[in-house]
Structure formats: structure tokens, C-alpha cells
Amino acid sequence: VGFILGAVWSLQKMLRYGSAFQRFLYLSAYIRQILSNKKIEKYTIILSLICSLICAFVFHSQMIQVFIAVWIGCLTGLVGYHKIVQMALNIPTDEAAGKKIGTQEYMKRYLMYGLVLVVCQLMELPILAVLVGLMCNKGAILLYALKEKEDFHE
């Protein structure tokens, strides 16, 4: 529910201030730059492996469920990341069409996140472990951005 509320709130603010299309164009340019390598995927896998092992040992009574849940979150994060990449690469130059497609893809992505969380809850997997996996992807993006910033300034 928090993901969905945050997504709707952010999208509403971007649409109200008219910055959604501009932000999607910035995102498109950034994604084109990072598509030349697969570092985000590599960083996500490495962070997920580390986090899944740590979580499995910390919560040793549910070791298998926690390990699986972290990897479900990791894969969901990667699918969401690739959906962002595809959206940014295919966004039309027409502002109205770009806003419409951007909004639709944004909502589809958060619906996917919500469905994954609901299915994991129904399968009685630890939801916090799924969120850890999702955050591994976000951490990988941050790690990549920080590394690129260092490389850029050298």
C-alpha cells in the first residue's frame, strides 16, 4: 500500500507542476547512457547475494523462505528496472503522448510490485525480505551512479 500511495503521490506532483514529461526525457537520456554496460544488473546480483546470505543467517529459522523472498524481490526490481529502460527508450517526442505513456507505464510498474507483494504474502514468504531484494536493485543503481560520478570527476 505504501508503494502505491508513494507512486500516486509522486506522479500527481509531477503532473501538477508539469515536470513529468521533462523528467521522463532526462530519464531517457540517462538510461541511454547506462545501457552501454550491464553494471547495474551485476551490482544488483552481487548485492542480492550478499543480502540474501546475511538475511538467511540472521533469520535462520526461516532460512529458505527468506533466501527465496530476497531473490523474488531482486528479480522484481530487475524487471521493473528493465521496464523503465524500455519506457525511456520508446517514449515519443510528442509531449502529450509522452505524458500518457509515462503515466501508464508508471502505474503498470507499481501494480506489478503490488501484485508480487500480495502473491508473496499469500505464499507466506517474508515481505520484508522481498523488500530487501527490491532495495538491492535500488542500491545497485545508487552504487552505479556514485561510481560513475567518481569516474566522471577523475
Side-chain angles (χ1 to χ4, degrees), residues 39-48 51 70 72-85 109 113 130-145:
K39 287 184 180 179
I40 289 179
E41 288 86 349
K42 291 175 190 174
Y43 290 162
T44 300
I45 300 288
I46 292 167
L47 285 174
S48 295
C51 287
V70 170
I72 288 173
C74 166
L75 295 175
T76 303
L78 285 172
V79 168
Y81 169 73
H82 284 284
K83 287 180 73 64
I84 292 170
V85 169
R109 206 170 52 255
Y113 295 147
V130 177
L131 294 174
V132 166
L134 280 168
M135 291 301 108
C136 286
N137 181 251
K138 305 308 178 202
I141 294 169
L142 180 62
L143 184 64
Y144 176 81

Side-chain angles (χ1 to χ4, degrees), residues 21 27-28 45-46 50 61 64 84 93 146:
F21 186 71
L27 178 65
S28 175
I45 300 288
I46 292 167
I50 292 167
S61 63
I64 301 297
I84 292 170
T93 55
L146 291 173

Side-chain angles (χ1 to χ4, degrees), residues 2 33 39 42 45-46 62-63 68 79 91 94 98 106 111 116 119 122 126 132 134 140-141 147:
Q33 177 189 6
K39 287 184 180 179
K42 291 175 190 174
I45 300 288
I46 292 167
Q62 292 185 311
M63 183 182 294
I68 290 170
V79 168
I91 199 161
D94 176 42
Y106 191 80
L111 180 63
V116 167
V119 168
L122 292 174
V132 166
L134 280 168
I141 294 169
K147 174 114 175 67

